[in-house]
Amino acid sequence: MDLPRSFTIRESSHRIHNPFTGEKLATLGRALGPAPGARVLDLASGSGEMLCTWARDHRITGTGVDISTVFTARARDRARELGVADRITFVHGDASDHVAEAPVDIAACIGATWIGGGVPGTVRLLESSLRPGGTILIGEPFWRREPPDQEAVEACHAEKREDFASLAGLIEQFGALGYHVVEMVLADQDSWDRYRAAQWLNIRRWLDGNPDDELAPTLREELDTDPVRYARYEREYLGWGVFALMRR
C-alpha cells in the first residue's frame, strides 16, 4: 500500500502537496486559532506540514494518516525537526476508512477528497471522528473560471465539467450537506506556480540523475508538455482552497 513512485519523484521537494504555500497554511491556522491541546486528525496528511507547524505555533496535538511510506517518514522527520514529535503521531495507512479512537476538535482532509469518493463522502468520513461543535477542514478544487471546452476540462484533471463546482457552487454544496462555511483560505496563481513549477524542477533533477530508469520516458514526456498545458489551462481556470465547516 503506497503511492506510485512517480508521485513521490514529482513532489520530492514539497512540504505541502497542494497549491498552498507555508504562508497560507499559517494564515489558516491563525484564522482558526485552535486552542492549545486541541486534537486534530489529518487524513491524507502527506509530509505532515499542517500538523507539525500548528503543533509548533498553536500547541495542538494530533494524528496524521497517509498511504505514502515516503511522505509518512518525511512527516515524522519534520515533527522531530520542529520539536513536536511528543504531540504529533503519523500513521502509514489507508485514510479512507480511518476513524479516530476518540473524538477530535478538528478533522481535516486537505486536497484528497478521493478518499471518500468525493466531497460528500469525505465530509461523512470526517464526521465520524469529530466531536460535537468541532470543525471540518476540506481542501478542494473549484472552477476559477468557466472552462470553455472539453479540452480545457481534461487539462484541469477532470473528466467532465461537473466534476468541479464554481466557488459559489462548492459553498452551496457544503450548505446542502448541513454545514456553514466559517472560514476559507484560497490558493492564488502564485501559490499554484510554487506548487506546480517545483514539480518540473524535481522531475528534471531526477531525470538528470536517472536517465535510464523505467519511469524516465514517461516523466520526460510530462516535462516536455506539462508547463504549457498548465499555463494555458490549469493556471487560468482551476481554483483551490481550504474551507472550514461547522454543523448548522
Side-chain angles (χ1 to χ4, degrees):
M1 180 173 57
D2 212 334
L3 283 179
R5 189 161 60 101
S6 60
F7 192 94
T8 56
I9 292 168
R10 190 179 295 113
E11 303 206 0
S12 58
S13 70
H14 290 58
R15 284 182 172 166
I16 301 171
H17 300 285
N18 52 59
F20 231 39
T21 61
E23 291 78 11
K24 287 185 178 292
L25 190 60
T27 295
L28 179 64
R30 289 192 298 269
L32 294 176
R39 299 180 305 279
V40 181
L41 174 67
D42 189 7
L43 298 184
S45 52
S47 294
E49 192 70 0
M50 184 179 77
L51 287 176
C52 290
T53 56
W54 287 12
R56 177 196 63 194
D57 298 340
H58 303 285
R59 302 193 64 78
I60 63 152
T61 63
T63 299
V65 183
D66 198 272
I67 199 171
S68 170
T69 54
V70 171
F71 294 157
T72 300
R74 190 180 300 168
R76 292 168 179 160
D77 289 343
R78 184 67 166 153
R80 288 189 289 268
E81 176 188 354
L82 297 185
V84 298
D86 59 329
R87 298 199 297 277
I88 301 296
T89 300
F90 291 101
V91 177
H92 172 242
D94 184 356
S96 65
D97 59 1
H98 185 92
V99 177
E101 293 181 0
V104 301
D105 301 290
I106 298 173
C109 178
I110 307 299
T113 56
W114 51 265
I115 68 170
V119 169
T122 301
V123 168
R124 300 310 177 208
L125 174 62
L126 294 171
E127 280 179 339
S128 62
S129 294
L130 193 67
R131 69 163 175 80
T135 301
I136 285 176
L137 296 180
I138 292 281
E140 183 69 4
F142 57 87
W143 291 122
R144 178 173 169 268
R145 293 171 54 195
E146 184 71 13
D149 51 35
Q150 183 63 20
E151 182 178 3
V153 169
E154 293 177 5
C156 292
H157 312 288
E159 294 183 2
K160 55 186 184 300
R161 195 179 306 253
E162 293 75 20
D163 287 345
F164 303 137
S166 66
L167 176 58
L170 182 57
I171 293 172
E172 287 178 338
Q173 184 178 18
F174 293 138
L177 293 170
Y179 284 87
H180 288 125
V181 174
V182 297
E183 256 296 355
M184 66 180 190
V185 178
L186 304 183
D188 54 27
Q189 287 178 308
D190 181 66
S191 51
W192 267 109
D193 293 346
R194 300 282 42 80
Y195 173 58
R196 296 289 280 112
Q199 295 177 347
W200 309 332
L201 183 57
N202 291 337
I203 291 170
R204 175 53 194 262
R205 286 174 170 168
W206 182 87
L207 286 169
D208 287 347
N210 302 272
D212 299 321
D213 189 276
E214 63 181 2
L215 288 178
T218 299
L219 290 177
R220 190 172 293 113
E221 180 181 2
E222 180 177 328
L223 188 57
D224 287 344
T225 60
D226 193 65
V228 170
R229 184 202 57 76
Y230 165 74
R232 180 170 292 150
Y233 296 113
E234 191 173 354
R235 192 178 194 271
E236 295 302 312
Y237 295 102
L238 196 60
W240 195 90
V242 180
F243 303 85
L245 314 178
M246 297 183 72
R247 175 62 77 178
R248 287 180 182 268

